[in-house]
Amino acid sequence: MRLSVIGCGYVGLVTGACLAEAGHDVMCTDIDAGRIAQLKAGQVPIYEHHLDKILVSAGKSGKISYTVDPGEAIRFGDTIFICVGTPPRPDGSADLSAIDHVAQQIAAEARSPKLVVEKSTVPARTGIELQRALSAYSRGNGGFRVASNPEFLREGTAVEDFFHPDRIVVGVEDPAAAEQLREIYRPILERKFTCPVHQGKCPDNYKGEFLVTTISSAELIKHASNSFLALKISYANAVSDLCEKLGANVEEVTHAMGLDPRIGTQFLKAGLGFGGFCFPKDIQAFISLAATVGVDFEILKAAERVNKQRIDRFLEKISKALWVVKGKRVAILGLAFKANTDDIRFAPALEVMKRLLDEGAEVHACDPEAVGKAKKQFPQAHYHEDPYKTLEGAHAALICTEWDVYKKIDWQRAGSVMARKLVVDGRNLYSPAKMKELGFEYSSFGRE
Ligand code: UGA
């Protein structure tokens, strides 16, 4: 099938590349001409595991192409996936101006009927507004149909998630749109593609469900899912605060809680809290959407508050240990908002860095992927590739992202180059007993 993808960010690129790899003909466009030039030159503008591989293979087979001309892209596909950004406005609500802009382009450039699919995360009722906008901008002549197909991709495992989804949700107004989307996803549902993650040997336990809902339900499913996960993390963090006060161990508590299948073990990890471009903005947008219809989403406001307090708690631990922060050399291990990505948007590590720089600390930092981006934002910090170099002469090691390489740090070696054997662990990566055995002052979350 011929598909158009508008917006080549994380969502658009992964969607376009995976659908091309699944056998469709895909044309991608982006308002950023530099990004399109990079893609045409075979460069991948973002770091996402396996994405480079499938972009090369889809490029070679001619299944994916790129254009700076939105009209060309719009006319190419029978189905158009809108994957543009919906950043937060100052009041927390989602800024939908990019979607509106694309609607105007589609209405102006399309020459045949199109199924317009919103993949960007949007508040409920956006689909209805989009349908109205397309009809108004085309003066009722476009023959456009609208659908919502939210993505549930996690950064770092987005390609794996795309090929092995738990669910594919399509919000539609007519059965034909559902059928068109089912056809698009048929290779994924029937596993008729060469999986770039497992090289054709995918485990059997993936059972993706294709769910057809109303457009508003589909939009709501996305926000409700992300907000629930954020809520779960904040719950674990609130329990962690309690554990610290009562002398309990949060890991023992959350592990046992999670064995109840109604609760589950995932997203109960206490620490520095959630960041990234999804949870913080989606939770805000959901609160704001609820407020517009007179629903006070108190529980989500509390989750947001608990998450913000994580940074304060972390800095309290640092100050308590260091006594005076000004002039101290601190080593931040991990800058990305989570492991296996170079994304630093709303990363807790960056807020930690900012506050320590403001207090006059000498900040040294490393990250396997995110140094380049962090350097642009905070050029006054010192960056290294090697964690041991970062730790040299440090009065404290601060663990901010749960990268595997940091889980495997040889603390005996690190301790020998640090000015003081102090670790403040924002991701609970190490055993407190072992760190003490190695002669470290060690503090983490919920298990003092
Ligand atoms: C999240 C959702 O998991 C995806 O399903 C969704 O598609 C995506 O947002 C989106 O809306 O596009 P992502 O932002 O990539 O994916 O990150 P997650 O893996 O969900 O982690 C979010 C944050 O929570 C990270 O900062 C992570 O460190 C933190 N976290 C996660 C915890 O603090 N504790 C946990 O137990 C789990």
Side-chain angles (χ1 to χ4, degrees), residues 11 48 121 150-157 161 166-167 222 225-226 229-230 232-234 236-237 265-282 307 336-339 341 343 346-348 400-402 426-427:
V11 175
E48 186 60 51
T121 301
E151 54 82 18
F152 302 102
L153 311 174
R154 294 161 300 170
E155 284 182 27
T157 52
D161 293 346
D166 313 311
R167 72 273 208 216
K222 168 70 188 200
S225 301
N226 271 6
L229 290 172
K232 212 175 162 190
I233 297 169
S234 279
N237 279 321
T265 48
Q266 295 190 50
F267 281 72
L268 281 179
K269 195 130 187 51
L272 260 176
F274 58 81
F277 205 54
C278 300
F279 286 179
K281 93 174 160 64
D282 288 356
N307 197 54
F337 82 95
K338 66 172 191 180
T341 175
D343 197 344
F346 297 101
C400 291
T401 313
E402 63 281 22
R427 297 293 175 186

Side-chain angles (χ1 to χ4, degrees), residues 28-37 40 66-73:
C28 304
T29 188
D30 198 288
I31 202 164
D32 180 346
R35 181 161 279 224
I36 294 296
K40 280 186 171 177
Y66 313 97
T67 176
V68 279
D69 176 6
E72 189 188 0

Side-chain angles (χ1 to χ4, degrees), residues 56-309:
V56 168
S57 115
K60 271 193 192 144
S61 60
K63 287 285 174 193
I64 197 162
S65 57
Y66 313 97
T67 176
V68 279
D69 176 6
E72 189 188 0
I74 286 162
R75 285 187 290 278
F76 180 84
D78 305 313
T79 309
I80 301 173
F81 287 93
I82 304 185
C83 304
V84 295
T86 52
R89 293 196 298 190
D91 68 355
S93 64
D95 179 348
L96 302 175
S97 54
I99 301 229
D100 180 53
H101 181 239
V102 170
Q104 293 181 43
Q105 286 179 325
I106 295 174
E109 301 287 351
R111 302 287 177 267
S112 57
K114 305 282 178 190
L115 176 62
V116 180
V117 183
E118 14 154 273
K119 222 177 199 337
S120 312
T121 301
V122 290
R125 304 193 65 76
T126 302
I128 292 165
E129 292 299 334
L130 179 61
Q131 178 77 67
R132 239 163 40 98
L134 284 166
S135 174
Y137 298 144
S138 64
R139 297 171 190 264
N141 295 324
F144 299 113
R145 288 167 304 143
V146 166
S148 162
N149 171 218
E151 54 82 18
F152 302 102
L153 311 174
R154 294 161 300 170
E155 284 182 27
T157 52
V159 171
E160 181 173 352
D161 293 346
F162 196 95
F163 283 119
H164 303 294
D166 313 311
R167 72 273 208 216
I168 294 170
V169 175
V170 299
V172 293
E173 278 186 326
D174 61 301
E179 268 326 293
Q180 196 163 326
L181 281 158
R182 193 189 292 273
E183 213 37 53
I184 291 171
Y185 283 106
R186 191 175 298 284
I188 312 276
L189 292 163
E190 295 179 359
R191 301 263 193 92
K192 296 219 168 98
F193 59 91
T194 310
C195 174
V197 182
H198 307 102
Q199 282 85 36
K201 291 191 196 107
C202 308
D204 284 334
N205 54 347
Y206 291 113
K207 278 194 205 81
E209 259 192 65
F210 188 82
L211 301 170
V212 181
T213 68
T214 64
I215 294 180
S216 290
S217 292
E219 291 164 335
L220 221 88
I221 288 166
K222 168 70 188 200
H223 267 142
S225 301
N226 271 6
S227 296
F228 184 78
L229 290 172
L231 193 66
K232 212 175 162 190
I233 297 169
S234 279
Y235 184 81
N237 279 321
V239 170
S240 150
D241 286 348
L242 209 54
C243 287
E244 279 181 25
K245 300 273 184 223
L246 301 174
N249 180 320
V250 71
E251 253 132 46
E252 291 173 356
V253 174
T254 51
H255 173 68
M257 279 168 63
L259 293 179
D260 180 336
R262 291 170 303 173
I263 298 174
T265 48
Q266 295 190 50
F267 281 72
L268 281 179
K269 195 130 187 51
L272 260 176
F274 58 81
F277 205 54
C278 300
F279 286 179
K281 93 174 160 64
D282 288 356
I283 203 170
Q284 273 183 20
F286 210 30
I287 292 169
S288 161
L289 170 77
T292 61
V293 289
V295 175
D296 190 356
F297 224 143
E298 270 299 331
I299 195 169
L300 289 188
K301 290 183 191 165
E304 208 188 9
R305 202 166 52 240
V306 168
N307 197 54
K308 284 195 177 130
Q309 284 165 354

